[in-house]
Amino acid sequence: MDLDAFEEVNRADWNRLDSLTRQRRLNGREADELLDLYQRASTHLSMIRSIAPESALSNELSMRLSRARTRFTGARSNVLEDIARFFVISLPAAFYRIRWLTVVVGVVFVAVGWLYGAWVANTPGVIAALGSDEEIRRYVEEDFVDYYSENPAASFAGLVWTNNAWIAVQAVAFGITGFWGPFILYQNAQGVGIAGGMMASYDKLDVFFTYILPHGFMELTAIFIATAAGLRIFWAWVSPGARTRSQALAEEGRALITVALGLVLVLFISGLVEGFVTPSPLPVWLRIGIGFLVFALYWVYTLVLGRRAVRAGYTGDLTEEDQGASVLTA
């Protein structure tokens, strides 16, 4: 099929469809005409996509159909329904699809952190290379704990949220490179491991875990999720399967946005725990218990609602209506 000739023949119908879409009020005849032109243009789009699915003409006609569909379907769903759909279906589905990759990333992080900690604690000369004895003692006996309480809880929680969000954004946004997310993960594992090794060298490992675990359960999981999401889109680029690379990147990228939005809430909650629970005078078991409860609730949410949503066919991607996808008609 000659696309230029096909466009020339049908351009008048497409322009008329645009004109009716922009028109404020439609009478009965015009509304019928709009529906008829929409169905006709949908058929045209299916024909074009069978020959040149990634062409400019295909994208242009898809946008025209999207605008027309919004015109005749009327108002969108209630805002509260959209929010409920996001949290009950889209977000858990997106989290669920990267659950195993999240676990793998977490295991690697813990392994790297443990190796660095063991190296610092057991290798002669490493502690001395990190600073003077006075500096190290001040860190393990004062600075490590004071970090969590030197600022008001609310402002500290906001600072933590911003910092962790920046780390997560980098892991997500540059995930397509395939190395930036793992590099950030490695840096953080290295930092946590060295800190733990320093504390262990001065018999303060119990203090280390007392102040790391309450918020660390969920905070680190959020970083694992962000890294896993970035690696997912990288793999969609490397191995798109039956899809074209642009289609694979578009689908995984939209689901990635869902994950990123969910991480805003996850990091907010972990920031609250770090700001208000970690430095609090609550018993150690209760502080760690609160952190673990938040962590457990995330996984229950992901595994229960996520499995249900994925089995129902959801992936965390936008609906066809929101994508602007075409509707094929006979």
Side-chain angles (χ1 to χ4, degrees):
M1 182 174 67
D2 186 332
L3 287 182
D4 291 335
F6 186 80
E7 178 181 4
E8 185 67 26
V9 170
N10 295 290
R11 175 65 65 177
D13 285 343
W14 302 342
N15 289 339
R16 176 58 177 165
L17 177 65
D18 276 349
S19 176
L20 291 173
T21 299
R22 291 191 297 267
Q23 195 168 312
R24 255 185 104 178
R25 295 180 179 276
L26 299 174
N27 58 34
R29 182 185 60 78
E30 290 169 333
D32 288 342
E33 184 182 6
L34 173 65
L35 289 172
D36 179 64
L37 289 171
Y38 175 82
Q39 293 176 335
R40 195 179 307 169
S42 295
T43 302
H44 295 160
L45 179 59
S46 68
M47 295 170 65
I48 294 170
R49 283 186 168 174
S50 68
I51 298 172
E54 303 299 330
S55 65
L57 182 59
S58 173
N59 293 331
E60 176 193 346
L61 188 53
S62 180
M63 290 300 298
R64 288 173 182 265
L65 287 167
S66 178
R67 291 192 294 267
R69 181 169 56 251
T70 300
R71 180 70 175 87
F72 67 70
T73 54
R76 294 291 307 276
S77 59
N78 183 277
V79 173
L80 294 179
E81 291 178 357
D82 288 339
I83 293 174
R85 178 187 179 86
F86 176 80
F87 284 107
V88 176
I89 296 176
S90 299
L91 182 58
F95 282 158
Y96 185 80
R97 291 179 66 226
I98 58 173
R99 66 195 185 284
W100 289 118
L101 191 51
T102 299
V103 171
V104 170
V105 167
V107 170
V108 171
F109 179 94
V110 171
V112 172
W114 182 86
L115 288 172
Y116 266 102
W119 174 65
V120 170
N122 299 309
T123 305
V126 173
I127 290 291
L130 294 174
S132 67
D133 183 66
E134 181 184 350
E135 291 172 333
I136 301 298
R137 283 191 178 277
R138 185 170 61 249
Y139 173 78
V140 301
E141 294 176 0
E142 299 176 19
D143 295 349
F144 181 81
V145 174
D146 291 346
Y147 167 76
Y148 296 98
S149 55
E150 61 186 0
N151 293 307
S155 61
F156 180 62
L159 179 65
V160 167
W161 185 23
T162 303
N163 178 67
N164 291 332
W166 171 237
I167 294 173
V169 164
Q170 291 182 73
V172 170
F174 300 109
I176 193 171
T177 64
F179 72 87
W180 192 252
F183 174 68
I184 292 174
L185 194 75
Y186 171 79
Q187 281 189 315
N188 280 271
Q190 181 187 52
V192 171
I194 290 175
M198 291 167 61
M199 298 294 284
S201 296
Y202 286 81
D203 295 322
K204 295 286 186 179
L205 194 58
D206 58 333
V207 176
F208 174 77
F209 285 117
T210 295
Y211 282 85
I212 283 291
L213 290 181
H215 62 276
F217 280 122
M218 197 63 251
E219 179 180 282
L220 291 175
T221 299
I223 303 304
F224 303 158
I225 295 166
T227 303
L231 289 174
R232 178 86 184 207
I233 196 170
F234 167 71
W235 191 247
W237 174 56
V238 172
S239 179
R243 302 170 294 181
T244 63
R245 277 191 169 78
S246 59
Q247 182 184 7
L249 287 173
E251 291 175 0
E252 297 299 338
R254 289 190 296 263
L256 186 73
I257 291 173
T258 301
V259 171
L261 291 174
L263 285 179
V264 172
L265 178 60
V266 170
L267 289 170
F268 175 70
I269 294 172
S270 67
L272 290 179
V273 173
E274 187 167 0
F276 291 93
V277 177
T278 297
S280 74
L282 293 172
V284 172
W285 66 267
L286 184 55
R287 281 184 277 165
I288 294 177
I290 291 173
F292 183 78
L293 177 62
V294 173
F295 171 77
L297 287 175
Y298 163 79
W299 281 108
V300 169
Y301 170 79
T302 296
L303 296 178
V304 175
L305 294 184
R307 181 186 292 114
R308 185 183 305 164
V310 169
R311 285 181 175 176
Y314 297 97
T315 64
D317 193 359
L318 300 177
T319 62
E320 285 193 354
E321 184 173 321
D322 291 325
Q323 294 174 28
S326 62
V327 175
L328 303 181
T329 60

